[in-house]
Amino acid sequence: MDMYKTLPPLHNISGECVLQRAVLVRKKLSVKEGGGWLSGTLFCTHFRVAFVPQDSQRPDDNADPVLLGDHDVALASIDKVVAVGPSRTKLVTPNGSLKFTPEELVLYCRDLRVFCFLFDRLTPDAQVMEITYTIAKTYQPLKAGTLLSFQNSALGSVEMKQFLSNRRRDPNMNWFECSADWEQELERAGATGWRVSSVNDRFEMSTSLNRFTVVPHRVLDTELKKTFAHFNDGRIPRWCWRHPRGSDLLRMASFQNNIYHEKDDIRNLELVLFGGQQMCVIVDLGEEMPSPADIQVAHTRLRTLCLGDISSSVSVPDDKWLSTLESTRWLDYIRCCLRKAAEVACLLRGGHMTVVLQELEDRDMNCVVSSLVQVMCDPHCRTVAGFQSLVQKEWITAGHKFLSRINYQRDCDKEEAPVFLLFLDCVWQLWSQYPARFQLTEDYLLALHDSVQLPLFSSFLANSQRERCRRSQHLPQSYTPVNGLRELPMGEPEEPVDPPFPPVWDWALQYSSSRRARFTQPVSQAPCIPPVLNGNLNTNLERSWHSDGLPGSVFLLSRSSFSNPSNLLPWRSGNSGSYWKSHRRAPSAEGLSGLERLIRACSLSDPSENTTTLHDPFEPILLPLLIGPCVRVWRGCYLRGALHPQAFTHPMFSCSQHPLDQLAFEVQELGEKLAQASVRHPEHQTRQQEPRRLESNLNQNANNGTFLFSSRSSQHQPPASRATTRPTNPSRAPWTASQPSRSAQRISGKHTFLFGHQQESQSVQRYIPSPSAKYPKHPSKTS
Amino acid sequence: MLSLGGGGAKSTKPSFVSYVTPEEIKLEKELPKKEKHPDLLPGEVVFCSANPILKHTQDDHSQRGVFGTLFCTNFRVTFISDEMSQEETDRNFKNKLYGENDIPLTCVDHIYGVYDEKRKLITGGLVKNKYPSKMVIHCKDLRVFQFCLTYTNEEDAKKIFQGIAHHCLEEKSLKCLFAFSYEGTTRPDMQRKRDTILFDSPEDWAEEMKRTKTKCRLVTENENFDLSQKLPKYFVIPSIIVDLSSHQGKGLPIWCWSHHSGCSLFKASFLPVAQDDGDFQNHLDTMINAVAHNYLYSVKTEDLTESLPTIQDIQQSYNKFKQFFLIDNATEFWLSDVKWFSSIESSGWLDIIRQCLQKAVEVVECLEKDNTNVLITEEEGTDLCCLISSLAQIMLDPYYRTLTGFQSLVQKEWVAGCHAFLDRCNHLHQKDKDCQSPVFLLFLECVWQLVQQHVPAFQFSETYLTVLSDSVHVPVFSTFLFNSGYHRESFMKVESPLAQSGPLSCPSVWDWSLQFNSKAQNFFLNPLYSEKVKQTVRKPHKHKHQRQLSLPSTAFKTPTKKGFFKDEADSLKKILRVKRISRWMGSPDSPIAATWEFYESWQRRPLDYHGLLLPCLDGPAIRLWMQRYLRWIPEVHIMGGGSVAITSKLMELLAQVQDLKRVLEQRDSSQSAKLDKRTHLQHRPVLLGSAGHNSSFPFAYSRNRSFKPIIPTGLLQRIVLTDNLASQGDDVSEFDKVAFSDPYDA
């Protein structure tokens, strides 16, 4: 403990002790950090390799981030340690020995970051050797049991547990952990005819599903129970999202074979599948999409390509880069996912049908495609809060097997596949093509990408919601929630979260406020208008038609074509002769031509619509361009670690320190000055002007959902009545009354803008820890 | 408001696909026979015309097109649509000389004729008898036009086809180029006012020498091209050289630029292989000695022909490369898409760019790190020498990264430096195509790579580079019309009495107001340029641009190669005798390691956009110039997205900052005078209309709507298949209707 007095301070988390340190170390800064070198002191603890810059101030105890400083790397993220000597490089293994004193230490991380530390000549050799050995010994990525010890060293201390249990969850996002959350989502999407069923509350119907499922209104729980058996793993068709034009997106696993279809069952199955619509398109994600194994192979190849490892000295010649990139097939898979999602989005736009995503297990590609569709169609999902809700809805609670897919413990290599990272890359492609339509930024996606490799978050540490809930039940009750005001979900005896493992969305644990500020666009609107416009408008027609219980037509969308195989729905094809005649349905001619018309119309009208009518009441779909030159490598992610000196040039253009930031700030500052000036003077002309501009802003944004573009050029446009009518929308009123606190926040968040309203938007958008959440004390003070 | 959300199929917009074949349209529509005339430029003459011609807007087998009249003039092939297009008027970025339906004759790359569904390349001989049903014109600025000739009468069709083929493809003399008939308003008074230094007077050179503080000597003896016709009118050589006349000025080391340390960059052409070995040797010695004498007796010579591809290689590679972008059939493009990366790579164009930048970095390293003089040589000294020396200067000297600086650089190295633009661009459509090579385009490509890697360091934008690359093929500007200074002078002198209107003066390309209005010229400027603090007074002939000391002077470290020349002169001579030119003679170490070190030392310095810039050359860093190559392909346009989204927002914010500042200033200054400030805020220049633009703004226009599905998997084609399926299903559905009567039990 005495070393704290003399050294630049390492801001310890509780229970952490420093194993080794080295002075006079320089860290190579990445392009994003501005390039060049930073000198300071290197520490190695049980939990992380920390680097403290020389001139850093002593942090006060409440400073964030809690777990990792800006220059730190968690031991669990480290993949390889390479020592660079005067003339050679060596991969340092826990048991290996070094025959030379390293001049440079390179840490390759699992999240494709590379940390490079340069030792000074004045650094004592002993320190250099020791810290190299210590890091090599402690990171041990492959040994069983290390995961637990790592987690314990990070979060195991009493103070930390106390601290974490008092963290408040982000109220802006939807956690989908109680039925009210789902109802809120139904409300937001404007979906009627659906209800939240808690038939799986104790995970009796399906172990991998969430507690709550959204099913059609008219299916009773008792009837619903019978349908589970017909689907693989009991993953019945569940509602995900409703397009503003009135079609619903569902997802399900494949049908269970060899099961007898009773008449009642069939009725229920059809009901569940069709919702309130007359047409149903089943989108098969089995054959065309890459399998998890494919994704794993592609990602491994991409990794080796991008992360030129200096210890192996295998590198691709520069002139062969493009073809090698092509041969990894990673971009092909991205294209494949985006294409499928774009198809589904076009379909949904047609309106009045259910689109059901079907995959064998419903736990990988269904997650990717359903969430991509929503990112494309729903501007709310392009905000940070909306995106987090989306991941929560379609991935975490939906039972994506994070634990096996990420393979933290290296015990299920066969299952390992970075499906979630593929999804993030797809979102990045969308982002890079339409940066102005997103509130979130590349930095945010990167942060999420990196967090996946850190085995500390409840979000990623389980294969299903059941496992998550189980763990929380087995917890020792050594602490109690201090914050009693926290609302408990209806009928929930237990805490929904797992206190020792925080959710990944608690960004303050990992990122400092300055870095978190970069998660959102500098010039943007806060949470966007949810696409509630007319979700239940024209459903009446169908409703009446449907009330007879007549089933509609079913089509299969596979390989970009529609077909109607007779065995699409097993109960309709009917192996048993008695049902064959009465239940077989062929497509009616109108059905198909209608479908044809809508797809054609969508694909044709969409691009032109953007240009001709800027004020489309529907958010135009973000249809990504998928041809060769438009799908690109995520440089900011995969290539940030390249150590080639040329690749390391500092002046490369980076989006993080985007001049937009500075300019937006400048505009704001000047605006404030102006406002002040006009306060000082009697005339108020300019002040009056400010709100007017804001209003036109709002309308513009409400109309076409663009985030970045305020309507400078279209100020002549009269203020539309749309924005003012929305709050009084009768369908929203009851809910608003029942949930005053949340809705108040949401609505206030909805109308925040950068210009002139900075303080308000910050207070709503950015996460602020509750005052009761005390930071764990410095060990020297507590012990 | 509610009605907006009507049923899905109903609310779709009217699509623009024509389901009527053009033949039907023809029958329906009695075409009005009113003659339309193109707005001719002064001096422009119409050769022939034909009406009606169908111009295909998109070839996706939809046969959609616009009827109009096709003209062939002495400047361009132009198509005037019968329909009035309003879009034309409100476009910001409009070229005054030629519109979107105009093809300057020198801009035509290839013409294909479609005979009975077969496409044939049209050459001069094939023209005579038959005319094709469809004519496909590939332009050098990568546009593709398709004209259908079947609707006009045979005589007209034949005439227009032969006329176009003749004027675009036949070899012609320089006098036939439009520049010599063009009677644009030349303003001699305006010409001097331009900021760009043209390097056509001794004063220009003297200024440049003063700016770079060189000790070399300006040669004015060649003013009348007495010394050599291949040498520039004025040039600068090491002061020690006295004998200018031997070997017709071949092998003279011509000064390009001086580093602040004193070492300089020279370029030279090869000496003719002489019969008299001794004389040859002596001359070579003198020259190298002279270069070495310039600074510290150190010199590195570099033969560019040895390490870089030849100009024929460059031409071949570019021919392959551009084929990926000259798309006259959109489906082809979807097909090429699968193997996109490897096919781009196989053309080798990106690798050539990399090699050139690499070579320039090596030159920069010698100047910056070793402080040695560098002499680059080449057969003529006017192709790759220009390329490498200008690239090195851009990397080293921030002045050349400004708009005027860059233009001056092109004047100095390329125009005054006698780059054979006429031959390289093949304006005259000479049959012998060995001389043709896109060297200047390659230079712009390299600069573009630098620009996109170091955005804030350049005052000009990529749009500027794209426009410049287009202007090369517009036969109006004297800049790109001649092979050398002598060529220019002699031609102008001969021509001027014929014109009988004083000295013939073609405008320079740098007079951008000829092509674009001032609003459009705004797009040339990079909004992200980090301007130098109050030093950037860009007055002509007053070079306030002081070069920055990019790296601290390495004077304390004695240059390693100092004085090596004297010691090793003998061995040097031997090398020279064998290979005529040496390779890197200076560094015994492996050049790769040295370059690595050079990069590292550069990275350690704090970032300075007004200092040395080095490009990143590894695989992922060399990129495709999307704006130039993909701008005409609507399939690649991201509607309302792409980088233009950011740029337009930036420009908007910049304007806003300026406005607010102005308002604040005014408020401070005139508190008593109650001005309505609102007018100022609303008077903001609307630079970009934001969301309506696509990623290839400002080149592709909103007119270019994509008629192909965004989803490239051919949903539409599949649907045609399912149509059959539906008709098959009809009989079943009859059966089904019966079955329907048996409802599911409730």
Side-chain angles (χ1 to χ4, degrees), chain B residues 251-253 266-271 284 288 300-308 374-382 384-385 576 580-582:
Chain B
L252 269 184
F266 297 90
K267 60 181 178 188
S269 57
F270 286 159
L271 280 175
L284 206 62
I288 291 178
K300 277 182 185 175
T301 58
E302 174 69 12
D303 180 8
L304 297 179
T305 50
E306 211 163 75
S307 46
L308 289 178
V374 179
L375 174 64
I376 48 178
T377 53
E378 197 197 357
E379 184 67 47
E380 290 292 331
T382 55
L384 295 172
C385 276
L576 287 176
R580 283 174 53 185
I581 295 296
S582 72

Side-chain angles (χ1 to χ4, degrees), chain B residues 557-619:
Chain B
K557 188 178 84 178
T558 45
T560 44
K561 304 299 169 276
K562 181 177 176 180
F564 101 103
F565 180 74
K566 279 178 182 167
D567 304 334
E568 295 180 73
D570 291 338
S571 62
L572 176 66
K573 279 179 212 158
K574 267 176 210 159
I575 295 164
L576 287 176
R577 189 176 304 159
V578 178
K579 299 181 74 182
R580 283 174 53 185
I581 295 296
S582 72
R583 295 184 60 81
W584 292 112
M585 286 171 291
S587 64
D589 322 328
S590 82
I592 300 148
T595 309
W596 184 297
E597 208 174 273
F598 179 51
Y599 265 94
E600 285 208 324
S601 73
W602 171 63
Q603 281 156 22
R604 280 183 204 150
R605 316 276 150 210
L607 168 61
D608 180 14
Y609 286 123
H610 297 274
L612 174 69
L613 280 191
L614 291 182
C616 183
L617 299 174
D618 56 355

Side-chain angles (χ1 to χ4, degrees), chain A residues 433-434 607 610 623-625 627 630, chain B residues 333 626-627 629-642 693-697 699-706 710:
Chain A
Q433 291 191 10
Y434 300 96
N610 280 347
L623 286 179
L625 293 186
I627 53 175
C630 295
Chain B
F333 194 53
M626 302 259 287
Q627 192 192 44
Y629 292 106
L630 297 175
R631 60 194 153 147
W632 311 118
I633 306 172
E635 279 77 14
V636 195
H637 297 165
I638 308 171
M639 299 307 298
H693 296 301
N694 62 34
S695 54
S696 67
F697 184 83
F699 291 99
Y701 323 114
S702 50
R703 176 191 61 81
N704 279 341
R705 293 188 194 95
S706 175
I710 290 295

Side-chain angles (χ1 to χ4, degrees), chain A residues 263 318-319 322-323 326 335 339 433 534 551 560 562 583 596 611 625 627-628 635 645-646 650 689 708, chain B residues 5 8 334 337 341-342 345 603 605 616 619-620 636 639 642 649 656 681 705 713 719 722-723 736 744-745:
Chain A
K263 254 189 173 179
D318 288 340
D319 53 341
L322 285 177
S323 51
E326 189 177 270
R335 228 187 277 190
R339 175 178 302 149
Q433 291 191 10
N534 55 350
S560 304
F562 293 98
H583 297 296
E596 169 200 346
T611 56
L625 293 186
I627 53 175
R635 279 153 198 278
Q646 294 176 346
H650 37 232
Q689 192 181 332
L708 221 127
Chain B
W334 295 123
D337 163 53
F341 285 120
S342 41
E345 186 182 278
Q603 281 156 22
R605 316 276 150 210
C616 183
V636 195
M639 299 307 298
K649 186 67 200 170
Q656 216 172 338
L681 277 171
R705 293 188 194 95
T713 40
I719 282 166
T722 50
D723 266 337
D736 257 23
Y744 291 104
D745 295 342

